[in-house]
Amino acid sequence: MNSDVQIAGDPLALPHLMPPPAAHPTTVAEFAGLARAIAADTASWAPLVRYDAATRWYHRLRTGPGYEVWLLSWVPGQGSGLHDHGPSSGVLTVLQGELAELSAHGTRHALRAGAQRVFAPGYAHEVVNDSLEPAVSLHVYYPGLTEMPMHRPPLCASAVRPSAVVTS
């Protein structure tokens, strides 16, 4: 018997199949739904966005039972460095512009506005704005973010093969 993922692919790529966000999310799908609901409410986050040429700007937008939501802006050239989120799982949603997510294994995901990425505790990645326009992203962490250990990039981190690029 085929699973829903085998039949339909990535369920996060099919928002119409996702349930509405729960008042107190507890599953990956519910946290992804919460991120989509916040993203759709542009009036709640757009006036808060600031751009800082010296460092990434961030603002804790919301907290809930065991989770927190962060709003980040990225000017061209800014990146997070290779890191993980300790014991926290997360949902990354691009609100405006384009970002690239580079995994510790060399996979590159091109993320346009509306794209989401989900990650488990200990997942190492780097997020960068390698476009020519500013970008804004939303990050939901469960449990709330308590650490962000930095990793040394692999020696060939910048040599990601075009065949490893995934567009989301």
Side-chain angles (χ1 to χ4, degrees):
M1 176 182 283
N2 291 330
S3 73
D4 290 344
V5 172
Q6 290 169 318
I7 294 167
D10 181 2
L12 295 179
L14 305 167
H16 66 281
L17 297 179
M18 302 296 293
H24 300 292
T26 59
T27 67
V28 171
E30 289 173 346
F31 281 111
L34 171 66
R36 274 193 308 282
I38 294 170
D41 186 11
T42 308
S44 71
W45 57 264
L48 302 172
V49 175
R50 303 289 178 263
Y51 297 98
D52 186 331
T55 185
R56 283 179 301 131
W57 172 89
Y58 53 91
H59 171 75
R60 187 163 60 186
L61 190 61
R62 181 185 297 183
T63 60
Y67 71 90
E68 55 188 16
V69 180
W70 290 85
L71 185 64
L72 282 77
S73 71
W74 313 73
V75 299
Q78 287 181 336
S80 64
L82 187 61
H83 67 282
D84 69 59
H85 301 94
S88 299
S89 294
V91 177
L92 158 66
T93 305
V94 178
L95 302 177
Q96 291 179 345
E98 294 181 22
L99 294 171
E101 183 208 26
L102 307 148
S103 77
H105 304 293
T107 304
R108 181 183 192 279
H109 292 269
L111 306 172
R112 294 183 180 95
Q116 287 188 306
R117 295 285 296 154
V118 175
F119 49 88
Y123 173 72
H125 68 159
E126 178 176 12
V127 178
V128 297
N129 181 352
D130 57 6
S131 75
L132 298 176
E133 299 294 327
V136 179
S137 59
L138 186 77
H139 304 250
V140 180
Y141 299 107
Y142 179 84
L145 195 60
T146 58
E147 57 184 277
M148 197 171 111
M150 300 304 290
H151 296 256
R152 292 184 77 188
L155 294 176
C156 297
S158 62
V160 176
R161 297 183 315 276
S163 62
V165 174
V166 178
T167 302
S168 298

